[in-house]
Amino acid sequence: MTETLEHATCRQRTHGEDAAVYRAQLRRRPDEELHARAAHPDWEYTCTEGPRKQWDDVDRPPDGDGWVRNVHIGVRGEGWERFDYTEESYWMRPKDQGSEGG
């Protein structure tokens, strides 16, 4: 059996250090995988929704500048998904554009 350090002698990471490690791990993953989970640390994500097969604004992005369709979620390559009573369009934009526009 190997010896381990006493718990009291181990330095605990701070929340900030944990967050930095998590962000570094996320950045090592392919962007497509992160966008598919809406988890890329440099992007923000949202969705718009409307009635199934009757939605005129399906291609209208949310308010604000910089939104592009997140083609990594939903129907692969199209960025939307149809459910029993609604459809959802998935959008993303770089976080530095989030404060622009209205």
Side-chain angles (χ1 to χ4, degrees), residues 6-17:
E6 288 292 320
H7 180 73
T9 62
C10 294
R11 184 176 91 72
Q12 297 291 316
R13 283 196 303 227
T14 66
H15 177 70
E17 289 171 329

Side-chain angles (χ1 to χ4, degrees), residues 18 25 34-35 38 40 44 47 60 81 84 93-94 102:
D18 281 341
Q25 289 171 343
L34 295 171
H35 289 315
H40 196 291
E44 62 180 305
C47 76
R60 190 166 123 199
E81 196 163 3
D84 288 342
R93 70 178 173 187

Side-chain angles (χ1 to χ4, degrees), residues 1-54:
M1 187 192 270
T2 61
E3 292 185 26
T4 60
L5 293 173
E6 288 292 320
H7 180 73
T9 62
C10 294
R11 184 176 91 72
Q12 297 291 316
R13 283 196 303 227
T14 66
H15 177 70
E17 289 171 329
D18 281 341
V21 168
Y22 178 71
R23 284 192 303 273
Q25 289 171 343
L26 285 179
R27 283 193 175 92
R28 284 189 217 119
R29 293 188 178 156
D31 285 350
E32 294 81 17
E33 178 185 332
L34 295 171
H35 289 315
R37 295 184 351 198
H40 196 291
D42 298 328
W43 290 75
E44 62 180 305
Y45 303 88
T46 192
C47 76
T48 54
E49 67 177 58
R52 179 183 167 99
K53 295 186 178 182
Q54 302 172 24

